[in-house]
Amino acid sequence: HAHNETDRTAAVLERLQSGANVGLVSDAGTPCLSDPGSVLVDAVQSAGLPVVSVPGPFAVAVALAGAGLPAVPFTFWGFVAKRSGTRRNQLMERLRAGPDGTMTHAFYVPGRDLRAFCTDVAAVAPDATLAVGRELSKIHEGWLRGTPATVAEALQDAQLRGEAVVLVAIEPGTEPEAGQLDVDALLRAALAAGRERKAALREISQQTGIGRRELYRR
């Protein structure tokens, strides 16, 4: 797992070098794709030992096949940052169109952060097309698609469980721009995330240059 991967790598290499076969399996997805394994696989490849990759479950591939958004090119960013302010800064930097047109960006989002994440996207890229695939391949699988703001509003409390793949399609001309933050969307995201009011207003004030009194009024 993520906390002992480095320590276990030497022992696995020793077993491989002695002629054993070793299988690397992760419990909820494909190794190395937002699951442990990259440290070990890198060490095995660097040692000149063979690595055989067997296709396994990859939630982003399932989402791209079912969302109806452009699947190529796409970028996979893994799990989102926990803090809304950090997420927004990452989104400002990452959400870009492709070299020849639309680019779809894939994120893993825990259910508890789903509404706040969609609101963060609405704050920085309000004209993007967003698709949320929840609990993919499981009994409670569900989809929501639309603008970030409409998806955030449509989410029900019962849907804020488990994990989701969120796809954000960015067309040329809809990329975030410096100074484009939607102040009201930032406030809604802070409320949705249950942030302490004073700390949230201080952070938003620093990001937008708007005084805390005006933010409090809004």
Side-chain angles (χ1 to χ4, degrees), residues 114-115 118 134 144 150-157 159-160:
L114 191 51
R115 184 181 290 131
C118 293
R134 297 176 40 261
L144 286 170
T150 57
V151 172
E153 186 175 351
L155 281 165
Q156 304 296 313
D157 289 345
Q159 296 172 312
L160 305 180

Side-chain angles (χ1 to χ4, degrees), residues 74-94:
F74 80 90
T75 301
F76 174 49
W77 296 106
F79 282 98
V80 300
K82 295 182 181 297
R83 290 180 58 84
S84 182
T86 305
R87 284 200 304 263
R88 288 192 297 270
N89 290 334
Q90 291 177 342
L91 292 169
M92 291 286 288
E93 296 173 356
R94 296 173 177 178

